[in-house]
């Protein structure tokens, strides 16, 4: 169960980084921490950017990644219940 919780925390941290990156890109892209946050988020957003084009100049890849992360968290929760025999 410890490994599942570690993965869950990692997914939540990634969600936070992606959200901060998106918000900083809208509000203040030249903030001191923006470079670090973007560098952390970019490897995860890059595969989505290859597939999802800009729509009206707006990058929708953070939304797609957040949706995928939410699905992974749901699957992780279901897997945890199945391991415990509660499903």
């Amino acid at each position: 169960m410890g490994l599942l919780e570690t993965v869950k925390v990692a997914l939540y941290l990634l969600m936070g980084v992606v959200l901060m990156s998106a918000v900083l890109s809208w509000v203040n892209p030249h903030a001191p921490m923006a470079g670090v946050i973007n560098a952390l988020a970019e490897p995860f957003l890059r595969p989505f950017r290859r597939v999802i084009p800009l729509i009206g100049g707006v990058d929708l890849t953070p939304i797609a990644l957040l949706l995928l992360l939410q699905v992974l968290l749901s699957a992780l929760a279901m897997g945890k219940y199945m391991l415990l025999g509660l499903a």
Side-chain angles (χ1 to χ4, degrees), residues 2-3 5-6 9 13 15 20 27 39-40 49-50 52 58 64-66 73-74 76 83 87:
L3 178 62
E5 291 301 317
T6 303
V9 168
L13 286 172
M15 287 176 77
M20 285 190 291
V27 176
L40 290 170
R49 288 193 175 128
R50 290 185 192 132
I52 301 171
V58 176
L65 178 56
L66 289 171
L73 283 169
S74 295
L76 195 64
L83 282 175

Side-chain angles (χ1 to χ4, degrees), residues 55-80:
I55 298 177
V58 176
D59 183 13
L60 298 177
T61 56
I63 295 171
L65 178 56
L66 289 171
L67 180 64
L68 175 67
L69 292 173
Q70 196 63 41
V71 168
L72 290 174
L73 283 169
S74 295
L76 195 64
M78 182 57 78
K80 181 178 177 181

Side-chain angles (χ1 to χ4, degrees), residues 14-70:
L14 181 56
M15 287 176 77
V17 166
V18 170
L19 279 171
M20 285 190 291
S21 174
V23 169
L24 282 174
S25 74
W26 300 329
V27 176
N28 188 4
H30 303 292
M33 288 299 294
V36 174
I37 300 294
N38 289 336
L40 290 170
E42 181 59 30
F44 298 98
L45 292 170
R46 193 175 306 123
F48 291 92
R49 288 193 175 128
R50 290 185 192 132
V51 178
I52 301 171
L54 292 177
I55 298 177
V58 176
D59 183 13
L60 298 177
T61 56
I63 295 171
L65 178 56
L66 289 171
L67 180 64
L68 175 67
L69 292 173
Q70 196 63 41

